Amino acid sequence: FLTSVTVREAAATIGAITFDHTEEVVGLVSAAGRVAAVDILSPEAIPGFPRSLVDGYAVLAKDIQGARETNPAFLKMSGEVWIGEPARIAVSEGSCVRVSTGSMVPEGSDGVVMQEYVRAMNGEVEVTRPVYRGENIVYAGEDITCGSVVLRQGKRISPFDAGVLAAIGASSIRVFGRPRVALLSSGDEIVPVDEDPPFGKVRDINRHTVGALAASSGSHVDFAGLARDTVEDITEKLSAAAGYDCILISGGSSKGERDHITDSILKLGGEILF
């Protein structure tokens, strides 16, 4: 029993243990911290149309090559594309269209110059900085391509993953059920945290520390009781927690005369792995 193993060996032993996973469907707000039970593929391209990354003017990059403060380029103002509406105006040679951050980039344009580098006057705009092709534009499918995997089975879902799922129109997701963990404290010296411990006794600290760790890892945690230092009491409380995925026991696992956890596990047909 006292033969020790390395942390890596212990982790490998635990990692080899399997159990049946339940699954459930949850909404996106409840999905953060849960583990995806299936791969999620995008049914569409994101964005679905070319969008401007800035407030400014959609242009043909070649029309403003070499533009600078002392030698600006002049373009005809053809109109404006409002955010949330389709672009009904095309950009032709020598013209430009005003756009906003997030609005559709009109056909014919291959760049957007920021409004900080443009002065509008009398139906024309004066551009004082060039742009390269594709500058300040995010093209259709550039963030997510149709059919691509946006979330892998087994990944713990982050708030940012929830945002990606919302972007592709997924209002819910199938996740693995949370592991059900029973927490058992043992020891004649332990008293509940809301009691004043007499001399020689201590409050049940480990239950709350280990329970918080298990809960923060995504488990559903129940307290299985405080067992006294007898094989009978420990065995009874372990038997009552038999339906859980995992039982975490604090205390009673050394080789003292009153450390009965090992004997109780073996009595119930269990096995000490390390």
Side-chain angles (χ1 to χ4, degrees):
F1 176 75
L2 292 178
T3 301
S4 62
V5 299
T6 66
V7 171
R8 178 171 295 184
E9 289 169 336
T13 300
I14 295 172
I17 299 172
T18 60
F19 60 93
D20 293 332
H21 293 284
T22 60
E23 296 181 10
E24 61 181 319
V25 176
V26 298
L28 294 188
V29 174
S30 303
R34 302 297 296 272
V35 177
V38 294
D39 287 346
I40 302 296
L41 280 65
S42 177
E44 59 190 74
I46 302 295
F49 55 88
R51 300 172 60 193
S52 175
L53 293 173
V54 297
D55 293 339
Y57 293 82
V59 299
L60 283 167
K62 67 181 184 64
D63 284 344
I64 57 172
Q65 283 182 347
R68 56 186 184 274
E69 191 71 35
T70 56
N71 184 30
F74 291 90
L75 301 173
K76 178 183 177 182
M77 175 72 164
S78 296
E80 182 171 359
V81 177
W82 296 96
I83 190 168
E85 296 185 1
R88 297 185 174 89
I89 312 169
V91 172
S92 57
E93 188 173 344
S95 71
C96 65
V97 172
R98 178 163 175 76
V99 294
S100 302
T101 303
S103 68
M104 184 180 293
V105 174
E107 185 178 348
S109 171
D110 60 5
V112 176
V113 59
M114 295 175 64
Q115 65 181 15
E116 288 85 347
Y117 304 108
V118 175
R119 289 188 287 265
M121 49 187 176
N122 299 325
E124 286 192 335
V125 297
E126 182 185 58
V127 183
T128 60
R129 178 189 181 278
V131 294
Y132 56 82
R133 294 185 64 184
E135 185 172 353
N136 295 324
I137 297 175
V138 55
Y139 289 98
E142 191 171 322
D143 288 339
I144 300 173
T145 57
C146 182
S148 63
V149 178
V150 297
L151 189 66
R152 292 286 184 186
Q153 180 192 50
K155 184 181 187 299
R156 190 177 296 277
I157 301 166
S158 72
F160 304 104
D161 293 323
V164 172
L165 294 173
I168 66 172
S171 59
S172 60
I173 179 174
R174 181 168 293 278
V175 297
F176 288 119
R178 294 195 297 165
R180 297 178 64 248
V181 173
L183 197 58
L184 176 65
S185 295
S186 74
D188 289 341
E189 78 282 10
I190 303 297
V191 299
V193 295
D194 55 357
E195 292 185 12
D196 290 328
F199 286 116
K201 295 183 181 294
V202 294
R203 292 188 177 93
D204 188 3
I205 299 170
N206 288 357
R207 165 192 167 187
H208 298 277
T209 304
V210 176
L213 283 167
S216 67
S217 298
S219 299
H220 173 86
V221 181
D222 289 325
F223 184 50
L226 177 57
R228 295 309 168 190
D229 284 326
T230 66
V231 173
E232 292 74 23
D233 195 23
I234 295 170
T235 301
E236 179 184 342
K237 287 182 169 58
L238 285 176
S239 297
Y244 284 82
D245 297 313
C246 177
I247 305 172
L248 296 177
I249 310 169
S250 174
S253 59
S254 186
K255 289 296 287 182
E257 290 183 1
R258 303 176 73 183
D259 291 328
H260 299 304
I261 295 297
T262 300
D263 292 338
S264 300
I265 290 173
L266 294 175
K267 183 178 179 180
L268 291 170
E271 177 188 357
I272 304 301
L273 298 178
F274 59 84

